[in-house]
Amino acid sequence: MGEMNDDCVVYWIEAAQKELRVLARRDARRAEILRQVAKRVEENGWILSAKSALVQVLRGDECVGELRDVAGGYRLFMFWYDTPGAREIWVCRIIPKRDVVSHRRLSDICDAVALVRKRFLEEAE
């Protein structure tokens, strides 16, 4: 892994962009809040974002976690990897909190995000 970079850049994979657009049509204010969460992580950096629980690491070994919509009802599942310039955070799914109540469901989502990360890294090579 090398040196951890505190600088963060947040990207949205196509599926997450689509989920955000759908949400924006239903609730423009909430969609904007989610965009602001991503912006705040970029501004604060990884360490501060993790300390303030804006970033939650769910599986450190697989680089899977979430950006926390602290005020609202959504979980933004993501993976990350480090580049020489910054830690890239890729939001994969935006899921209502009420849809992620069981440990099994959370585990399934983390498995899916880990798989997306694996494919992503293979394509990047």
Side-chain angles (χ1 to χ4, degrees), residues 93-112:
R93 297 293 314 274
I94 301 168
I95 301 177
K97 282 183 183 168
R98 67 176 177 273
D99 292 351
V100 195
V101 286
S102 74
H103 281 293
R104 177 185 206 120
R105 175 83 169 118
L106 180 60
S107 182
D108 289 348
I109 293 166
C110 288
D111 289 346

Side-chain angles (χ1 to χ4, degrees), residues 1 57 59-65 78-81 113 117:
M1 276 294 269
V57 173
R59 291 185 182 170
D61 56 326
E62 293 179 302
C63 300
V64 170
M78 55 81 170
F79 66 84
W80 74 87
Y81 72 96
V113 171
R117 180 179 189 273

